[in-house]
Amino acid sequence: MIELTLLGTGSPMVDPNRAGPSTLVTAGGQTFLVDCGRGVLMRAAAAGAQAAGLTAVLLTHLHSDHITDLSDVITTRWVTTIGPNPLPVIGPPGTAAVIQATLAALAPDISYRIGHHADITEPPEVVVHEHTDGVVWDRDGVRITVAPTDHRPVEPTIAFRIEHDGASVVLAGDTVPCASLDALAAGADALVHTAIRSDIVEQMPAQRIRDILDYHSSVQQAAATAARAGVRTLVLTHYVPPLVPGQEDQWRALAAAEFGGRVELGDDLLRVTVGADVEAG
Ligand SMILES: [Zn+2]
Ligand SMILES: [Zn+2]
C-alpha cells in the first residue's frame, strides 16, 4: 500500500488556502517529501509528518516554487533531532549546487545554534544524489525510479515512480506530455500531475502569465498522459489558476474528456491510497 497526501496544491500564485507544490508519499514505513514548496512543514505537521522523520526529499526540478522551503526542512530537521540525521535529497543535476548555496545562506544560523547549544556540534548534513533516469532508491521493499520530463527551458527535470508491495505511484511534476513520462507512468496505480487550466490562462491579459502555457500540461494533456500510460487514478495538483471551491466539476469534466479512470483533486491534505489491499478492502 502507498499513501500520498497533497501537502500543497498551489503554485507561484499566492493563495491563502494553498501551500506551494509538495506531496508526501508513505510506503513500507518510509516517508518521502516530493518537492518542497511554500508552507510545506505546516501542512506536513497537519498530515502527521515531521522534518526529522523524513526518509528522503525528492525534487522534480529546481524552480523556486518547488524548493522555497528547503531551508526550513533542512534547519528544522537539524534542530529537532538529537544526534546525526543526514537528509538524503534526490534531484536532477544542479541540486547539489542549490543545497550548497542554501547551506551557505544558513551559515550564520548554523554558527549561532552550534555556539548556543552544547548538544549541537555539527552543521546539518545533507546527502545529495543527482539523477536523470534509472533506479535511484531500493531499500526495505521501496523502489524509486526516475525519468526525464520536458519542462524546457527548465532542464533537467525529472519524474519519480515509487513502488512498494505491488503498488506504484508516479509524480510527474511540471512537464508537457513526453514519451519518457509515458514510459515511467505505464501501468501505475496513480499519477500525480501538475495541471493548468489553459482555457482560463490563455484569456489572461498578462503575457507573463500566458508564458506558462508552453511548458506545463493542461488538464486535458495531463489526463491524456494518464490515459496513454493506463494508470488507474489521476491526481491533479499545482492548480493554475488556483482551484476555486465549487469548480471541481469543471476540472473533472476537462480531465474526463481524455481519461476514463478515477480523477482526484481538491484541497491541501487530500489523501489518496493505492495498493492491492485497498482494492481488496
Ligand atoms: Zn516548474
Ligand atoms: Zn511549478
Side-chain angles (χ1 to χ4, degrees):
M1 185 179 91
I2 302 177
E3 188 174 78
L4 57 92
T5 307
L6 302 183
L7 295 182
T9 57
S11 72
M13 292 185 179
V14 178
D15 180 327
N17 299 311
R18 295 187 189 276
S22 185
T23 303
L24 193 74
V25 180
T26 60
Q30 300 176 53
T31 303
F32 301 94
L33 182 66
V34 186
D35 289 336
C36 204
R38 178 187 296 138
V40 59
L41 283 187
M42 294 168 65
R43 290 291 190 263
Q50 316 290 333
L54 297 174
T55 306
V57 171
L58 316 180
L59 300 177
T60 60
H61 64 303
L62 303 171
H63 244 157
S64 54
D65 52 317
H66 295 250
I67 61 166
T68 48
D69 283 17
L70 256 184
S71 66
D72 194 15
V73 170
I74 291 169
T75 308
T76 303
R77 179 183 183 90
W78 177 54
V79 300
T80 58
T81 303
I82 304 294
N85 190 10
L87 176 66
V89 175
I90 303 171
T95 301
V98 166
I99 295 293
Q100 207 168 27
T102 302
L103 290 170
L106 289 168
D109 179 76
I110 292 168
S111 72
Y112 304 149
R113 294 184 196 281
I114 289 177
H116 183 223
H117 301 286
D119 67 344
I120 299 182
T121 56
E122 299 291 333
E125 189 182 347
V126 183
V127 183
V128 180
H129 308 266
E130 297 183 337
H131 296 281
T132 54
D133 66 89
V135 176
V136 300
W137 186 271
D138 196 349
R139 198 173 293 180
D140 301 328
V142 176
R143 194 163 76 134
I144 304 179
T145 311
V146 307
T149 53
D150 184 355
H151 190 38
R152 285 174 292 172
V154 182
E155 60 182 333
T157 58
I158 56 177
F160 294 90
R161 180 179 181 120
I162 302 176
E163 296 170 295
H164 170 66
D165 197 21
S168 51
V169 301
V170 172
L171 300 109
D174 297 355
T175 180
V176 295
C178 61
S180 51
L181 176 60
D182 289 356
L184 186 75
D189 292 300
L191 170 66
V192 183
H193 206 306
T194 293
I196 305 292
R197 280 286 296 270
S198 57
D199 56 313
I200 296 174
V201 173
E202 63 196 11
Q203 302 299 325
M204 291 183 166
Q207 178 61 45
R208 188 173 294 178
I209 300 283
R210 295 198 307 272
D211 284 346
I212 69 170
L213 291 167
D214 67 13
Y215 68 174
H216 288 99
S217 291
S218 64
V219 177
Q220 300 92 316
Q221 286 173 319
T225 295
R228 281 193 307 279
V231 307
R232 301 167 81 96
T233 301
L234 171 64
V235 183
L236 298 175
T237 187
H238 191 298
Y239 313 118
V240 182
L243 170 59
V244 177
Q247 292 186 354
E248 291 86 353
D249 285 348
Q250 291 180 13
W251 293 68
R252 282 181 202 286
L254 290 168
E258 301 288 342
F259 175 63
R262 165 181 166 211
V263 177
E264 294 281 355
L265 75 168
D267 296 330
D268 289 7
L269 298 175
L270 176 77
R271 187 165 287 184
V272 176
T273 306
V274 300
D277 28 359
V278 176
E279 310 296 332

